[in-house]
Amino acid sequence: MIGTLLSGRFRLEERVGSGGMSTVYRAFDETLERWVAIKILQNEIAEDDDQLERFRREARAVARLNHPHVVTVIDAGEDQGYPYIVFEYISGETLKERIRRLGRLPVPEALAYAIEIARALQAAHSEMLVHRDVKPQNVLLDTDGRAKVTDFGIARSLEGGEGLTLAGRVLGTTDYVSPEQALGQEVTPQSDIYSLGVVLYEMLTGDVPFRADAPVAVAMKHVREPMPDVQLARPEVSANTAAIVERATAKETRNRYRTIEQMQIDLEDALALEATRAGQTSGEATTVLRALPGERFRAPWRVRFPRRVAALTLLLLAIAAVIVVVLATRTHENTPGPPPPTQPKGAPALQPVKLAPDAANDFDPFGGDGEHHADTPKAIDHNPVTSWTTERYDSGIPQTKPGVGLYVDAGGALIARRLDIISRESGYTAQVLAAAGASAPASVQDWTPVSDSTVIGSATRIPIDTNGKGYRFYLVWITKLAAGGQAAINELTLYR
């Protein structure tokens, strides 16, 4: 095929990839004098009407998408019995090649690529298209480092009608396949979310979560085995980022992100947090950070605009130097004043308790179905945008059950003096309870009240009185919900 001129316009110059159904060539568009990528359906596949329709459908599907993180379809046609699709040519490497070359990616960079992939999937899902084969091999990185999703060859429309599949075959790559897809069940946008969660895991750890001798064995591991803990493979990953991987790759769709938009928001918040922890970013992480909406809480200005911060720092230093010189010249005009009055000694200053990233746990002794366990780290991640929420109780609390809550493990007995709560869902009533021992009690009757009941506002300080006794566990016990049927804790801080 090298040297072939398709439709009198596209000259094939180099084969750059191939798959089970098609081959991709780098080609030169002699009409517009530019490089393009051309995907040509293999002869034996082109003779199959179903496969030919799937190929044509890819051209129609992707042509509907106009997004900076989706590889653009330029043209489509058929020449000399060869159906083909013409794409923009991306000069760079695939995300898979980058992972193989570097191993584990820097955490902010991995989150930035995940955000860009999520944005591409959001564009597809808004057009009622599920990609169904999200994997790093299908993510191209251009020369500017920007991620672009390609290969919608097995994408399926959600607008109705039967999808085109091969009898007895699971479409998709088993390293990233969702449990429902592996079982041949209905594929939805949540299937793409699962695959993106696996891609994020691989970017963070340098390896896929499951390995086996046969692809079907890998697929069954996605169905049956728990997802490995990303923090065990890479301890420096924050609890926020680990919680995103856990929620995205939940086996049951009811525990997974419902929409890609929800996952994207959490990814953006996690990127801001990771950038703050790192103190600086580079490459695509910096590009994504600068593009985040300014009205939402994001990484500090010094992280998003390091050059401006450096210039401002020099300016402030110069101003400070001038002030010092002026003060020095006027020293003779100043007379020493009396020493400041001595402050009476009182109680020692409050000190925040340093909590482990996994110190927060949900508490649901009545029903036991849990209260968004995967989101509990958000209550203590020092990011007031993310939050842990209770389930929604339309009939309210205590009508539905006596109460629910969130407790923190201080790691050892201590005498707490105050608990602060920042909440975006204010108006609910809560009381602080405490417990000692090696593990938190399962029954609320075994906890000791250490505060009065308090109506929680957007920022609330709850005084704690332990009567001089040290406790290890401190529980925010929610006993009444406001209108809306849900409570939230964006940030919880315990003081000793």
Side-chain angles (χ1 to χ4, degrees):
M1 296 292 293
I2 302 299
T4 301
L5 186 67
L6 294 180
S7 300
R9 176 178 177 180
F10 304 106
R11 185 172 300 281
L12 306 184
E13 297 289 348
E14 177 188 8
R15 190 175 82 164
V16 295
S18 63
M21 293 173 53
S22 59
T23 303
V24 180
Y25 294 87
R26 180 171 64 92
F28 189 72
D29 180 351
E30 296 190 346
T31 300
L32 298 180
E33 297 185 345
R34 61 178 176 178
W35 291 106
V36 295
I38 294 186
K39 177 185 287 190
I40 300 178
L41 193 62
Q42 295 178 6
N43 275 341
E44 59 272 21
I45 302 295
E47 295 173 357
D48 185 313
D49 291 340
D50 284 347
Q51 301 297 336
L52 183 58
E53 176 56 27
R54 180 181 292 109
F55 190 77
R56 289 169 176 166
R57 187 178 62 186
E58 176 186 4
R60 294 193 298 268
V62 186
R64 288 156 50 186
L65 304 179
N66 181 17
H67 194 274
H69 297 299
V70 175
V71 176
T72 304
V73 167
I74 297 173
D75 199 357
E78 186 171 340
D79 186 26
Q80 305 173 46
Y82 296 110
Y84 64 85
I85 306 174
V86 184
F87 298 91
E88 65 172 318
Y89 179 71
I90 307 298
S91 178
E93 62 182 347
T94 68
L95 181 57
K96 187 71 172 182
E97 291 168 340
R98 185 170 184 83
I99 295 171
R100 287 172 176 165
R101 180 167 58 84
L102 300 180
R104 302 183 304 179
L105 303 186
V107 177
E109 180 181 305
L111 289 167
Y113 286 139
I115 290 169
E116 292 181 333
I117 298 169
R119 290 173 179 171
L121 294 177
Q122 180 181 351
H125 294 174
S126 67
E127 292 290 340
M128 304 300 288
L129 289 173
V130 182
H131 190 288
R132 301 206 296 171
D133 197 19
V134 177
K135 58 185 179 182
Q137 295 92 322
N138 285 339
V139 179
L140 304 179
L141 307 178
D142 64 18
T143 53
D144 294 326
R146 182 171 56 181
K148 286 177 171 278
V149 177
T150 187
D151 202 353
F152 282 75
I154 61 174
R156 177 177 179 178
S157 172
L158 300 177
E159 294 176 342
E162 294 298 323
L164 297 175
T165 59
L166 297 178
R169 176 182 172 191
V170 175
L171 291 178
T173 304
T174 58
D175 281 339
Y176 312 91
V177 71
S178 66
E180 62 272 16
Q181 194 170 1
L183 294 171
Q185 299 172 354
E186 180 183 6
V187 176
T188 71
Q190 286 183 290
S191 306
D192 284 349
I193 290 172
Y194 182 94
S195 298
L196 177 54
V198 178
V199 172
L200 178 57
Y201 177 94
E202 183 179 4
M203 287 192 288
L204 293 170
T205 66
D207 199 5
V208 293
F210 302 117
R211 290 196 176 274
D213 294 334
V216 67
V218 175
M220 287 303 98
K221 287 189 174 187
H222 280 284
V223 174
R224 298 169 181 165
E225 295 189 10
M227 190 76 173
D229 188 343
V230 69
Q231 287 185 300
L232 290 179
R234 191 169 182 182
E236 67 265 31
V237 171
S238 71
N240 257 34
T241 301
I244 294 173
V245 175
E246 180 182 359
R247 185 174 179 186
T249 57
K251 303 295 183 187
E252 298 181 353
T253 54
R254 63 185 177 89
N255 296 325
R256 206 178 298 165
Y257 286 106
R258 291 192 301 276
T259 66
I260 193 67
E261 291 90 343
Q262 292 177 338
M263 183 179 181
Q264 179 186 321
I265 289 171
D266 280 357
L267 286 168
E268 291 174 351
D269 291 335
L271 175 57
L273 176 64
E274 295 287 1
T276 301
R277 294 175 64 192
Q280 62 181 1
T281 60
S282 60
E284 198 61 12
T286 301
T287 302
V288 174
L289 275 171
R290 289 176 177 173
L292 292 180
E295 66 273 11
R296 294 179 56 200
F297 175 84
R298 293 299 175 203
W301 199 68
R302 64 180 174 84
V303 175
R304 297 177 65 186
F305 303 103
R307 293 183 180 177
R308 298 182 191 178
V309 171
L312 181 60
T313 300
L314 291 175
L315 177 60
L316 291 176
L317 289 175
I319 294 173
V322 172
I323 292 174
V324 169
V325 171
V326 172
L327 291 177
T329 59
R330 298 184 178 179
T331 301
H332 66 281
E333 300 177 3
N334 298 325
T335 57
T342 303
Q343 297 294 332
K345 293 184 178 181
L350 292 173
Q351 295 181 349
V353 178
K354 186 175 182 180
L355 300 173
D358 59 351
N361 292 275
D362 57 318
F363 187 68
D364 184 16
F366 303 99
D369 53 347
E371 298 290 323
H372 293 162
H373 176 73
D375 291 338
T376 55
K378 296 179 181 180
I380 55 173
D381 62 1
H382 308 294
N383 183 351
V385 170
T386 62
S387 66
W388 167 83
T389 61
T390 66
E391 296 288 345
R392 190 171 297 279
Y393 294 95
D394 293 332
S395 55
I397 285 178
Q399 287 81 1
T400 305
K401 57 178 66 175
V404 295
L406 179 91
Y407 70 86
V408 292
D409 180 354
L414 59 87
I415 300 174
R417 297 161 57 195
R418 197 178 81 195
L419 188 147
D420 291 0
I421 293 177
I422 297 175
S423 175
R424 61 174 172 80
E425 295 281 355
S426 56
Y428 62 90
T429 302
Q431 182 180 22
V432 180
L433 311 181
S439 60
S443 172
V444 70
Q445 285 77 18
D446 296 329
W447 292 75
T448 302
V450 292
S451 84
D452 296 330
S453 292
T454 305
V455 177
I456 305 301
S458 57
T460 307
R461 295 178 175 179
I462 305 176
I464 294 175
D465 182 5
T466 67
N467 199 25
K469 181 177 179 180
Y471 294 96
R472 174 174 176 175
F473 302 97
Y474 287 86
L475 166 67
V476 178
W477 180 237
I478 299 167
T479 55
K480 185 177 180 181
L481 293 178
Q486 191 175 41
I489 297 178
N490 289 55
E491 199 62 41
L492 180 154
T493 307
L494 187 67
Y495 292 89
R496 63 194 307 172

